[in-house]
């Protein structure tokens, strides 16, 4: 791998938001080729910052196996939102190519209507029965990895949400007590059919960084992370011209090269440290000069 390619991949990994601004200015097939050229972990970090329609369009230009390798590394709520944006002829092969542990939670949220809490929730959350002893709960917690949030949701034997506690509270509770003795019973919650506009405005976000989602009977179905909420806010905002995006657009036009050269170009125009946004070879004087001017006197003969 040439040095420029290594630099480009490091840039995509370290600055996914800036890489995304550049990629989203490119034609979708070209951006998809860039995502295919980097490691799936790096591509997933970039795709998690993209708007859902653009991310879905990129996936549609990838082979099912390549797309699945990226989707499997996304948070479940991001993955479900992006997969939902695919046409059935693209979505079904991608789902078939996913490992079961990634496919199952995605398929659980796809039936919920777009624009509802159910459509953007993460169903892979850690939950405990209310009659489990604290000692047993700690063992279960230690075995859990995927879907573990800071909050532990407590349900009764009918799967109804009855309480919540955080991990430090569980560790400090008496080992022989049931978790119901340590949990908080007043739990802010979202209903599965709640429009995302109301989800964003829910007062519970002032206190929690994740909120549980329940059905009409109060059964726990999943949770929405604050990060997912911020993504909804970004996509709902009507922003004016963004100087960073305008710069990204100029970069996309500048590097009309093959995929490898394009990736290298993205990285080569960015240097680490405080001057990350300074193009290579420019000076402070260059940065102060209005765009389109040069050292030559425009009035000279």
């Amino acid at each position: 791998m040439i040095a420029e390619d290594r630099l480009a991949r490091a840039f995509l990994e370290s600055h996914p938001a800036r890489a995304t601004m550049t990629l989203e200015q490119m034609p979708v097939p070209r951006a998809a080729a860039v995502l295919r050229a980097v490691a799936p972990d790096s591509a997933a970090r970039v795709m998690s910052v993209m708007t859902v329609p653009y991310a879905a369009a990129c996936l549609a230009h990838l082979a099912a196996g390549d797309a699945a390798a990226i989707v499997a590394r996304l948070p479940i709520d991001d993955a479900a939102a992006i997969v939902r944006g695919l046409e059935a002829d693209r979505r079904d092969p991608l789902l078939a190519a996913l490992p079961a542990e990634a496919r199952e939670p995605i398929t659980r949220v796809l039936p919920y209507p777009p624009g509802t809490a159910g459509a953007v929730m993460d169903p892979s959350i850690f939950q405990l029965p209310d009659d489990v002893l604290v000692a047993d709960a700690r063992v279960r917690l230690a075995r859990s990895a995927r879907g573990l949030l800071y909050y532990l949701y407590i349900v009764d034997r009918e799967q109804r949400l009855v309480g919540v506690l955080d991990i430090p509270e569980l560790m400090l509770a008496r080992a022989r007590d049931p978790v119901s003795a340590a949990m908080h019973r007043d739990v802010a919650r979202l209903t599965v059919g709640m429009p995302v506009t109301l989800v964003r405005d829910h007062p519970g976000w002032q206190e929690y960084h994740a909120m549980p989602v329940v059905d009409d009977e109060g059964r726990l179905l999943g949770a929405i992370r604050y990060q997912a909420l911020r993504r909804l806010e970004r996509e709902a905002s009507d922003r004016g011209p963004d100087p960073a995006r305008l710069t990204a657009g100029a970069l996309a036009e500048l590097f009309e090269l093959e995929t490898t050269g394009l990736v290298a170009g993205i990285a080569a125009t960015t240097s680490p440290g405080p001057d990350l946004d300074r193009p290579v070879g420019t000076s402070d004087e260059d940065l102060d000069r209005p765009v389109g001017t040069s050292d030559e006197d425009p009035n000279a003969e």
Side-chain angles (χ1 to χ4, degrees), residues 48 52 75 77-78 81 115-117 119-122 149 190 194-211 213 223-237:
S48 68
V52 166
D77 44 8
D78 287 344
T116 65
V120 299
M121 71 179 179
D122 181 351
L149 298 173
L190 307 167
M194 181 180 292
V196 292
T197 51
L198 297 182
V199 171
R200 292 197 303 266
D201 295 336
H202 196 286
W205 295 115
Q206 299 177 16
E207 185 175 356
Y208 302 103
H209 64 75
M211 292 187 59
V213 179
I224 296 179
R225 299 173 300 137
Y226 185 69
Q227 293 93 323
L229 177 73
R230 292 307 303 258
R231 180 171 189 161
L232 293 173
E233 290 176 341
R234 289 198 307 269
E235 294 182 359
S237 64

mmCIF file of all heavy atoms in Angstrom, residues 48 52 75 77-78 81 115-117 119-122 149 190 194-211 213 223-237:
data_model
loop_
_atom_site.group_PDB
_atom_site.id
_atom_site.type_symbol
_atom_site.label_atom_id
_atom_site.label_comp_id
_atom_site.label_asym_id
_atom_site.label_seq_id
_atom_site.Cartn_x
_atom_site.Cartn_y
_atom_site.Cartn_z
ATOM 1 N N SER A 48 -21.770 6.200 9.394
ATOM 2 C CA SER A 48 -22.611 6.543 10.541
ATOM 3 C C SER A 48 -22.829 8.039 10.663
ATOM 4 O O SER A 48 -23.741 8.485 11.363
ATOM 5 C CB SER A 48 -22.003 6.000 11.833
ATOM 6 O OG SER A 48 -20.793 6.673 12.145
ATOM 7 N N VAL A 52 -29.004 9.627 6.047
ATOM 8 C CA VAL A 52 -29.523 8.299 5.742
ATOM 9 C C VAL A 52 -29.740 8.087 4.240
ATOM 10 O O VAL A 52 -29.329 7.055 3.698
ATOM 11 C CB VAL A 52 -30.819 8.042 6.534
ATOM 12 C CG1 VAL A 52 -31.560 6.821 5.988
ATOM 13 C CG2 VAL A 52 -30.488 7.841 8.005
ATOM 14 N N PRO A 75 -23.841 0.859 14.527
ATOM 15 C CA PRO A 75 -24.824 0.717 15.603
ATOM 16 C C PRO A 75 -26.158 0.277 15.009
ATOM 17 O O PRO A 75 -26.512 0.665 13.886
ATOM 18 C CB PRO A 75 -24.915 2.133 16.194
ATOM 19 C CG PRO A 75 -23.618 2.777 15.809
ATOM 20 C CD PRO A 75 -23.241 2.208 14.477
ATOM 21 N N ASP A 77 -29.273 1.029 15.490
ATOM 22 C CA ASP A 77 -30.251 2.043 15.080
ATOM 23 C C ASP A 77 -29.822 2.718 13.784
ATOM 24 O O ASP A 77 -30.654 2.998 12.906
ATOM 25 C CB ASP A 77 -30.503 3.069 16.191
ATOM 26 C CG ASP A 77 -29.225 3.543 16.861
ATOM 27 O OD1 ASP A 77 -28.131 3.204 16.375
ATOM 28 O OD2 ASP A 77 -29.318 4.262 17.867
ATOM 29 N N ASP A 78 -28.521 2.991 13.629
ATOM 30 C CA ASP A 78 -28.041 3.549 12.368
ATOM 31 C C ASP A 78 -28.222 2.556 11.227
ATOM 32 O O ASP A 78 -28.668 2.910 10.129
ATOM 33 C CB ASP A 78 -26.554 3.923 12.477
ATOM 34 C CG ASP A 78 -26.319 5.156 13.325
ATOM 35 O OD1 ASP A 78 -27.295 5.894 13.579
ATOM 36 O OD2 ASP A 78 -25.181 5.390 13.743
ATOM 37 N N ALA A 81 -31.892 2.276 10.129
ATOM 38 C CA ALA A 81 -32.354 3.452 9.391
ATOM 39 C C ALA A 81 -31.835 3.452 7.965
ATOM 40 O O ALA A 81 -32.560 3.783 7.014
ATOM 41 C CB ALA A 81 -31.917 4.725 10.113
ATOM 42 N N GLY A 115 -40.258 7.446 10.537
ATOM 43 C CA GLY A 115 -40.614 8.653 11.259
ATOM 44 C C GLY A 115 -41.212 8.407 12.628
ATOM 45 O O GLY A 115 -41.730 9.324 13.259
ATOM 46 N N THR A 116 -41.138 7.164 13.118
ATOM 47 C CA THR A 116 -41.639 6.845 14.460
ATOM 48 C C THR A 116 -40.494 6.382 15.351
ATOM 49 O O THR A 116 -39.418 6.020 14.869
ATOM 50 C CB THR A 116 -42.709 5.747 14.406
ATOM 51 O OG1 THR A 116 -42.106 4.524 13.932
ATOM 52 C CG2 THR A 116 -43.858 6.131 13.490
ATOM 53 N N ALA A 117 -40.762 6.367 16.653
ATOM 54 C CA ALA A 117 -39.740 5.914 17.594
ATOM 55 C C ALA A 117 -39.338 4.472 17.318
ATOM 56 O O ALA A 117 -38.161 4.106 17.437
ATOM 57 C CB ALA A 117 -40.253 6.056 19.028
ATOM 58 N N ALA A 119 -39.073 2.966 14.546
ATOM 59 C CA ALA A 119 -38.224 2.848 13.365
ATOM 60 C C ALA A 119 -36.778 3.220 13.659
ATOM 61 O O ALA A 119 -35.879 2.785 12.938
ATOM 62 C CB ALA A 119 -38.763 3.725 12.246
ATOM 63 N N VAL A 120 -36.523 4.017 14.687
ATOM 64 C CA VAL A 120 -35.153 4.488 14.960
ATOM 65 C C VAL A 120 -34.577 3.925 16.246
ATOM 66 O O VAL A 120 -33.441 4.222 16.601
ATOM 67 C CB VAL A 120 -35.111 6.035 15.019
ATOM 68 C CG1 VAL A 120 -35.531 6.632 13.700
ATOM 69 C CG2 VAL A 120 -35.995 6.578 16.145
ATOM 70 N N MET A 121 -35.329 3.075 16.938
ATOM 71 C CA MET A 121 -34.828 2.528 18.202
ATOM 72 C C MET A 121 -33.810 1.419 17.948
ATOM 73 O O MET A 121 -33.710 0.851 16.862
ATOM 74 C CB MET A 121 -35.993 1.977 19.025
ATOM 75 C CG MET A 121 -36.588 0.700 18.465
ATOM 76 S SD MET A 121 -37.946 0.082 19.489
ATOM 77 C CE MET A 121 -38.411 -1.386 18.544
ATOM 78 N N ASP A 122 -33.052 1.127 18.978
ATOM 79 C CA ASP A 122 -32.137 -0.013 18.997
ATOM 80 C C ASP A 122 -32.792 -1.102 19.845
ATOM 81 O O ASP A 122 -32.952 -0.935 21.056
ATOM 82 C CB ASP A 122 -30.790 0.404 19.594
ATOM 83 C CG ASP A 122 -29.780 -0.733 19.622
ATOM 84 O OD1 ASP A 122 -30.163 -1.889 19.343
ATOM 85 O OD2 ASP A 122 -28.602 -0.477 19.936
ATOM 86 N N LEU A 149 -26.003 -0.479 27.250
ATOM 87 C CA LEU A 149 -26.041 0.956 27.476
ATOM 88 C C LEU A 149 -25.649 1.223 28.929
ATOM 89 O O LEU A 149 -25.474 0.312 29.731
ATOM 90 C CB LEU A 149 -27.448 1.505 27.206
ATOM 91 C CG LEU A 149 -27.982 1.351 25.777
ATOM 92 C CD1 LEU A 149 -29.435 1.792 25.707
ATOM 93 C CD2 LEU A 149 -27.147 2.152 24.802
ATOM 94 N N LEU A 190 -40.629 6.339 25.916
ATOM 95 C CA LEU A 190 -41.196 6.722 24.630
ATOM 96 C C LEU A 190 -42.101 5.593 24.154
ATOM 97 O O LEU A 190 -41.810 4.420 24.395
ATOM 98 C CB LEU A 190 -40.092 6.964 23.601
ATOM 99 C CG LEU A 190 -38.987 7.942 23.997
ATOM 100 C CD1 LEU A 190 -37.810 7.821 23.029
ATOM 101 C CD2 LEU A 190 -39.512 9.372 24.019
ATOM 102 N N MET A 194 -44.632 6.904 18.591
ATOM 103 C CA MET A 194 -44.448 8.339 18.762
ATOM 104 C C MET A 194 -43.670 8.931 17.582
ATOM 105 O O MET A 194 -42.626 8.408 17.203
ATOM 106 C CB MET A 194 -43.698 8.617 20.073
ATOM 107 C CG MET A 194 -43.466 10.091 20.374
ATOM 108 S SD MET A 194 -42.558 10.332 21.949
ATOM 109 C CE MET A 194 -43.795 9.778 23.118
ATOM 110 N N PRO A 195 -44.166 10.021 16.978
ATOM 111 C CA PRO A 195 -43.412 10.652 15.887
ATOM 112 C C PRO A 195 -42.059 11.159 16.382
ATOM 113 O O PRO A 195 -41.921 11.586 17.527
ATOM 114 C CB PRO A 195 -44.315 11.821 15.460
ATOM 115 C CG PRO A 195 -45.681 11.461 15.956
ATOM 116 C CD PRO A 195 -45.466 10.675 17.212
ATOM 117 N N VAL A 196 -41.068 11.101 15.509
ATOM 118 C CA VAL A 196 -39.727 11.498 15.928
ATOM 119 C C VAL A 196 -39.666 12.970 16.306
ATOM 120 O O VAL A 196 -38.802 13.372 17.091
ATOM 121 C CB VAL A 196 -38.691 11.186 14.832
ATOM 122 C CG1 VAL A 196 -38.526 9.696 14.650
ATOM 123 C CG2 VAL A 196 -39.046 11.860 13.521
ATOM 124 N N THR A 197 -40.573 13.786 15.779
ATOM 125 C CA THR A 197 -40.593 15.192 16.185
ATOM 126 C C THR A 197 -40.895 15.318 17.676
ATOM 127 O O THR A 197 -40.316 16.160 18.368
ATOM 128 C CB THR A 197 -41.634 15.973 15.375
ATOM 129 O OG1 THR A 197 -42.894 15.283 15.434
ATOM 130 C CG2 THR A 197 -41.211 16.097 13.919
ATOM 131 N N LEU A 198 -41.797 14.461 18.184
ATOM 132 C CA LEU A 198 -42.093 14.466 19.616
ATOM 133 C C LEU A 198 -40.977 13.792 20.406
ATOM 134 O O LEU A 198 -40.710 14.160 21.552
ATOM 135 C CB LEU A 198 -43.427 13.759 19.875
ATOM 136 C CG LEU A 198 -44.663 14.415 19.247
ATOM 137 C CD1 LEU A 198 -45.926 13.638 19.610
ATOM 138 C CD2 LEU A 198 -44.794 15.874 19.688
ATOM 139 N N VAL A 199 -40.333 12.792 19.808
ATOM 140 C CA VAL A 199 -39.188 12.158 20.466
ATOM 141 C C VAL A 199 -38.104 13.189 20.740
ATOM 142 O O VAL A 199 -37.535 13.251 21.830
ATOM 143 C CB VAL A 199 -38.635 11.014 19.592
ATOM 144 C CG1 VAL A 199 -37.315 10.508 20.168
ATOM 145 C CG2 VAL A 199 -39.648 9.875 19.500
ATOM 146 N N ARG A 200 -37.810 14.022 19.743
ATOM 147 C CA ARG A 200 -36.755 15.029 19.911
ATOM 148 C C ARG A 200 -37.106 16.033 20.994
ATOM 149 O O ARG A 200 -36.217 16.548 21.673
ATOM 150 C CB ARG A 200 -36.521 15.770 18.585
ATOM 151 C CG ARG A 200 -35.912 14.921 17.494
ATOM 152 C CD ARG A 200 -35.346 15.791 16.382
ATOM 153 N NE ARG A 200 -36.343 16.681 15.816
ATOM 154 C CZ ARG A 200 -37.080 16.397 14.738
ATOM 155 N NH1 ARG A 200 -36.920 15.235 14.127
ATOM 156 N NH2 ARG A 200 -37.958 17.258 14.276
ATOM 157 N N ASP A 201 -38.387 16.321 21.180
ATOM 158 C CA ASP A 201 -38.800 17.343 22.145
ATOM 159 C C ASP A 201 -39.101 16.780 23.531
ATOM 160 O O ASP A 201 -39.495 17.532 24.428
ATOM 161 C CB ASP A 201 -40.054 18.063 21.622
ATOM 162 C CG ASP A 201 -39.789 18.856 20.357
ATOM 163 O OD1 ASP A 201 -38.625 19.228 20.123
ATOM 164 O OD2 ASP A 201 -40.745 19.086 19.581
ATOM 165 N N HIS A 202 -38.938 15.490 23.726
ATOM 166 C CA HIS A 202 -39.294 14.879 25.009
ATOM 167 C C HIS A 202 -38.405 15.441 26.126
ATOM 168 O O HIS A 202 -37.179 15.510 25.988
ATOM 169 C CB HIS A 202 -39.129 13.365 24.936
ATOM 170 C CG HIS A 202 -39.825 12.636 26.043
ATOM 171 N ND1 HIS A 202 -39.360 12.622 27.344
ATOM 172 C CD2 HIS A 202 -40.966 11.903 26.050
ATOM 173 C CE1 HIS A 202 -40.169 11.903 28.097
ATOM 174 N NE2 HIS A 202 -41.148 11.448 27.341
ATOM 175 N N PRO A 203 -38.984 15.860 27.243
ATOM 176 C CA PRO A 203 -38.180 16.443 28.331
ATOM 177 C C PRO A 203 -37.222 15.453 28.981
ATOM 178 O O PRO A 203 -36.282 15.859 29.674
ATOM 179 C CB PRO A 203 -39.239 16.921 29.335
ATOM 180 C CG PRO A 203 -40.465 16.113 29.023
ATOM 181 C CD PRO A 203 -40.434 15.879 27.554
ATOM 182 N N GLY A 204 -37.419 14.172 28.763
ATOM 183 C CA GLY A 204 -36.539 13.186 29.362
ATOM 184 C C GLY A 204 -35.094 13.307 28.918
ATOM 185 O O GLY A 204 -34.184 12.873 29.631
ATOM 186 N N TRP A 205 -34.854 13.908 27.737
ATOM 187 C CA TRP A 205 -33.479 14.051 27.250
ATOM 188 C C TRP A 205 -32.663 15.013 28.113
ATOM 189 O O TRP A 205 -31.435 14.996 28.042
ATOM 190 C CB TRP A 205 -33.478 14.543 25.807
ATOM 191 C CG TRP A 205 -34.066 13.568 24.850
ATOM 192 C CD1 TRP A 205 -35.200 13.712 24.115
ATOM 193 C CD2 TRP A 205 -33.543 12.276 24.518
ATOM 194 N NE1 TRP A 205 -35.424 12.603 23.344
ATOM 195 C CE2 TRP A 205 -34.421 11.703 23.574
ATOM 196 C CE3 TRP A 205 -32.422 11.542 24.918
ATOM 197 C CZ2 TRP A 205 -34.222 10.434 23.030
ATOM 198 C CZ3 TRP A 205 -32.214 10.286 24.389
ATOM 199 C CH2 TRP A 205 -33.106 9.737 23.457
ATOM 200 N N GLN A 206 -33.319 15.803 28.925
ATOM 201 C CA GLN A 206 -32.577 16.687 29.819
ATOM 202 C C GLN A 206 -31.899 15.914 30.944
ATOM 203 O O GLN A 206 -30.968 16.410 31.578
ATOM 204 C CB GLN A 206 -33.530 17.736 30.406
ATOM 205 C CG GLN A 206 -34.176 18.624 29.351
ATOM 206 C CD GLN A 206 -35.174 19.598 29.961
ATOM 207 O OE1 GLN A 206 -35.175 19.821 31.163
ATOM 208 N NE2 GLN A 206 -36.014 20.187 29.126
ATOM 209 N N GLU A 207 -32.342 14.674 31.162
ATOM 210 C CA GLU A 207 -31.802 13.871 32.259
ATOM 211 C C GLU A 207 -31.089 12.610 31.787
ATOM 212 O O GLU A 207 -30.132 12.161 32.425
ATOM 213 C CB GLU A 207 -32.941 13.475 33.202
ATOM 214 C CG GLU A 207 -32.492 12.730 34.438
ATOM 215 C CD GLU A 207 -33.648 12.479 35.397
ATOM 216 O OE1 GLU A 207 -34.769 12.960 35.119
ATOM 217 O OE2 GLU A 207 -33.423 11.805 36.423
ATOM 218 N N TYR A 208 -31.529 12.028 30.675
ATOM 219 C CA TYR A 208 -30.999 10.741 30.222
ATOM 220 C C TYR A 208 -30.328 10.863 28.860
ATOM 221 O O TYR A 208 -30.721 11.688 28.040
ATOM 222 C CB TYR A 208 -32.125 9.709 30.122
ATOM 223 C CG TYR A 208 -32.869 9.475 31.419
ATOM 224 C CD1 TYR A 208 -34.124 10.031 31.632
ATOM 225 C CD2 TYR A 208 -32.309 8.704 32.438
ATOM 226 C CE1 TYR A 208 -34.817 9.816 32.823
ATOM 227 C CE2 TYR A 208 -32.985 8.490 33.631
ATOM 228 C CZ TYR A 208 -34.234 9.055 33.817
ATOM 229 O OH TYR A 208 -34.903 8.852 34.991
ATOM 230 N N HIS A 209 -29.326 10.003 28.598
ATOM 231 C CA HIS A 209 -28.706 9.974 27.281
ATOM 232 C C HIS A 209 -29.213 8.794 26.446
ATOM 233 O O HIS A 209 -28.764 8.583 25.325
ATOM 234 C CB HIS A 209 -27.177 9.924 27.380
ATOM 235 C CG HIS A 209 -26.637 8.690 28.031
ATOM 236 N ND1 HIS A 209 -26.597 7.470 27.414
ATOM 237 C CD2 HIS A 209 -26.104 8.498 29.266
ATOM 238 C CE1 HIS A 209 -26.054 6.570 28.221
ATOM 239 N NE2 HIS A 209 -25.757 7.170 29.352
ATOM 240 N N ALA A 210 -30.148 8.023 26.997
ATOM 241 C CA ALA A 210 -30.870 6.997 26.253
ATOM 242 C C ALA A 210 -32.239 6.861 26.896
ATOM 243 O O ALA A 210 -32.377 7.020 28.120
ATOM 244 C CB ALA A 210 -30.132 5.662 26.274
ATOM 245 N N MET A 211 -33.261 6.582 26.067
ATOM 246 C CA MET A 211 -34.609 6.439 26.605
ATOM 247 C C MET A 211 -35.250 5.176 26.069
ATOM 248 O O MET A 211 -35.113 4.847 24.886
ATOM 249 C CB MET A 211 -35.464 7.675 26.254
ATOM 250 C CG MET A 211 -35.003 8.928 26.972
ATOM 251 S SD MET A 211 -36.114 10.324 26.717
ATOM 252 C CE MET A 211 -37.629 9.673 27.373
ATOM 253 N N VAL A 213 -38.122 2.459 24.795
ATOM 254 C CA VAL A 213 -39.292 2.502 23.913
ATOM 255 C C VAL A 213 -40.191 1.328 24.277
ATOM 256 O O VAL A 213 -39.724 0.181 24.356
ATOM 257 C CB VAL A 213 -38.877 2.421 22.433
ATOM 258 C CG1 VAL A 213 -40.114 2.441 21.535
ATOM 259 C CG2 VAL A 213 -37.940 3.571 22.070
ATOM 260 N N ALA A 223 -34.545 0.909 22.826
ATOM 261 C CA ALA A 223 -34.166 2.215 23.371
ATOM 262 C C ALA A 223 -33.626 3.082 22.248
ATOM 263 O O ALA A 223 -33.167 2.578 21.214
ATOM 264 C CB ALA A 223 -33.127 2.062 24.485
ATOM 265 N N ILE A 224 -33.696 4.376 22.450
ATOM 266 C CA ILE A 224 -33.132 5.338 21.502
ATOM 267 C C ILE A 224 -31.987 6.056 22.198
ATOM 268 O O ILE A 224 -32.154 6.612 23.286
ATOM 269 C CB ILE A 224 -34.185 6.352 21.029
ATOM 270 C CG1 ILE A 224 -35.290 5.630 20.260
ATOM 271 C CG2 ILE A 224 -33.548 7.429 20.148
ATOM 272 C CD1 ILE A 224 -36.402 6.548 19.768
ATOM 273 N N ARG A 225 -30.827 6.010 21.574
ATOM 274 C CA ARG A 225 -29.649 6.675 22.121
ATOM 275 C C ARG A 225 -29.691 8.164 21.803
ATOM 276 O O ARG A 225 -30.276 8.593 20.820
ATOM 277 C CB ARG A 225 -28.372 6.077 21.532
ATOM 278 C CG ARG A 225 -28.155 4.621 21.798
ATOM 279 C CD ARG A 225 -26.960 4.114 21.014
ATOM 280 N NE ARG A 225 -27.147 4.293 19.574
ATOM 281 C CZ ARG A 225 -26.210 4.742 18.745
ATOM 282 N NH1 ARG A 225 -25.030 5.097 19.199
ATOM 283 N NH2 ARG A 225 -26.460 4.853 17.459
ATOM 284 N N TYR A 226 -29.031 8.960 22.639
ATOM 285 C CA TYR A 226 -28.956 10.394 22.377
ATOM 286 C C TYR A 226 -28.214 10.670 21.076
ATOM 287 O O TYR A 226 -28.544 11.611 20.359
ATOM 288 C CB TYR A 226 -28.266 11.108 23.540
ATOM 289 C CG TYR A 226 -28.263 12.613 23.401
ATOM 290 C CD1 TYR A 226 -29.452 13.328 23.510
ATOM 291 C CD2 TYR A 226 -27.087 13.307 23.157
ATOM 292 C CE1 TYR A 226 -29.463 14.697 23.386
ATOM 293 C CE2 TYR A 226 -27.091 14.686 23.030
ATOM 294 C CZ TYR A 226 -28.274 15.376 23.152
ATOM 295 O OH TYR A 226 -28.282 16.742 23.010
ATOM 296 N N GLN A 227 -27.212 9.823 20.738
ATOM 297 C CA GLN A 227 -26.495 10.011 19.477
ATOM 298 C C GLN A 227 -27.441 9.884 18.291
ATOM 299 O O GLN A 227 -27.317 10.617 17.307
ATOM 300 C CB GLN A 227 -25.356 8.983 19.356
ATOM 301 C CG GLN A 227 -24.243 9.186 20.367
ATOM 302 C CD GLN A 227 -24.451 8.355 21.614
ATOM 303 O OE1 GLN A 227 -25.569 8.167 22.077
ATOM 304 N NE2 GLN A 227 -23.358 7.843 22.155
ATOM 305 N N ALA A 228 -28.373 8.930 18.380
ATOM 306 C CA ALA A 228 -29.348 8.782 17.303
ATOM 307 C C ALA A 228 -30.255 9.995 17.232
ATOM 308 O O ALA A 228 -30.657 10.436 16.150
ATOM 309 C CB ALA A 228 -30.178 7.509 17.517
ATOM 310 N N LEU A 229 -30.596 10.553 18.381
ATOM 311 C CA LEU A 229 -31.413 11.762 18.402
ATOM 312 C C LEU A 229 -30.702 12.911 17.712
ATOM 313 O O LEU A 229 -31.306 13.653 16.922
ATOM 314 C CB LEU A 229 -31.724 12.135 19.853
ATOM 315 C CG LEU A 229 -32.509 13.435 20.055
ATOM 316 C CD1 LEU A 229 -33.952 13.252 19.629
ATOM 317 C CD2 LEU A 229 -32.439 13.885 21.506
ATOM 318 N N ARG A 230 -29.405 13.068 17.962
ATOM 319 C CA ARG A 230 -28.659 14.140 17.325
ATOM 320 C C ARG A 230 -28.613 13.957 15.819
ATOM 321 O O ARG A 230 -28.648 14.937 15.061
ATOM 322 C CB ARG A 230 -27.232 14.193 17.898
ATOM 323 C CG ARG A 230 -27.156 14.617 19.355
ATOM 324 C CD ARG A 230 -27.884 15.923 19.580
ATOM 325 N NE ARG A 230 -27.360 16.976 18.737
ATOM 326 C CZ ARG A 230 -26.527 17.923 19.164
ATOM 327 N NH1 ARG A 230 -26.160 17.948 20.421
ATOM 328 N NH2 ARG A 230 -26.083 18.844 18.343
ATOM 329 N N ARG A 231 -28.549 12.721 15.384
ATOM 330 C CA ARG A 231 -28.577 12.476 13.939
ATOM 331 C C ARG A 231 -29.920 12.913 13.355
ATOM 332 O O ARG A 231 -29.970 13.523 12.292
ATOM 333 C CB ARG A 231 -28.344 10.988 13.660
ATOM 334 C CG ARG A 231 -28.357 10.662 12.178
ATOM 335 C CD ARG A 231 -27.908 9.241 11.916
ATOM 336 N NE ARG A 231 -27.729 9.022 10.498
ATOM 337 C CZ ARG A 231 -27.026 8.041 9.986
ATOM 338 N NH1 ARG A 231 -26.422 7.191 10.783
ATOM 339 N NH2 ARG A 231 -26.910 7.900 8.687
ATOM 340 N N LEU A 232 -31.007 12.613 14.053
ATOM 341 C CA LEU A 232 -32.326 13.048 13.588
ATOM 342 C C LEU A 232 -32.392 14.564 13.521
ATOM 343 O O LEU A 232 -32.983 15.142 12.595
ATOM 344 C CB LEU A 232 -33.415 12.516 14.525
ATOM 345 C CG LEU A 232 -33.622 11.004 14.552
ATOM 346 C CD1 LEU A 232 -34.609 10.632 15.647
ATOM 347 C CD2 LEU A 232 -34.108 10.498 13.198
ATOM 348 N N GLU A 233 -31.798 15.218 14.501
ATOM 349 C CA GLU A 233 -31.803 16.681 14.513
ATOM 350 C C GLU A 233 -31.023 17.239 13.335
ATOM 351 O O GLU A 233 -31.444 18.213 12.699
ATOM 352 C CB GLU A 233 -31.209 17.190 15.832
ATOM 353 C CG GLU A 233 -32.096 16.942 17.038
ATOM 354 C CD GLU A 233 -31.427 17.361 18.330
ATOM 355 O OE1 GLU A 233 -30.182 17.503 18.332
ATOM 356 O OE2 GLU A 233 -32.137 17.547 19.330
ATOM 357 N N ARG A 234 -29.863 16.630 13.020
ATOM 358 C CA ARG A 234 -29.065 17.095 11.887
ATOM 359 C C ARG A 234 -29.836 16.956 10.580
ATOM 360 O O ARG A 234 -29.820 17.853 9.731
ATOM 361 C CB ARG A 234 -27.752 16.302 11.795
ATOM 362 C CG ARG A 234 -26.752 16.602 12.875
ATOM 363 C CD ARG A 234 -25.360 16.118 12.474
ATOM 364 N NE ARG A 234 -25.352 14.723 12.089
ATOM 365 C CZ ARG A 234 -25.127 13.726 12.920
ATOM 366 N NH1 ARG A 234 -24.914 13.978 14.204
ATOM 367 N NH2 ARG A 234 -25.105 12.480 12.502
ATOM 368 N N GLU A 235 -30.521 15.838 10.431
ATOM 369 C CA GLU A 235 -31.222 15.596 9.177
ATOM 370 C C GLU A 235 -32.491 16.431 9.067
ATOM 371 O O GLU A 235 -32.961 16.699 7.964
ATOM 372 C CB GLU A 235 -31.537 14.111 9.052
ATOM 373 C CG GLU A 235 -30.287 13.274 8.917
ATOM 374 C CD GLU A 235 -30.586 11.802 8.754
ATOM 375 O OE1 GLU A 235 -31.768 11.433 8.773
ATOM 376 O OE2 GLU A 235 -29.629 11.027 8.590
ATOM 377 N N ALA A 236 -33.062 16.842 10.214
ATOM 378 C CA ALA A 236 -34.267 17.654 10.168
ATOM 379 C C ALA A 236 -33.965 19.142 10.019
ATOM 380 O O ALA A 236 -34.825 19.925 9.651
ATOM 381 C CB ALA A 236 -35.097 17.435 11.439
ATOM 382 N N SER A 237 -32.720 19.532 10.318
ATOM 383 C CA SER A 237 -32.378 20.947 10.275
ATOM 384 C C SER A 237 -32.289 21.431 8.841
ATOM 385 O O SER A 237 -31.856 20.708 7.950
ATOM 386 C CB SER A 237 -31.054 21.198 11.009
ATOM 387 O OG SER A 237 -29.992 20.547 10.349
#
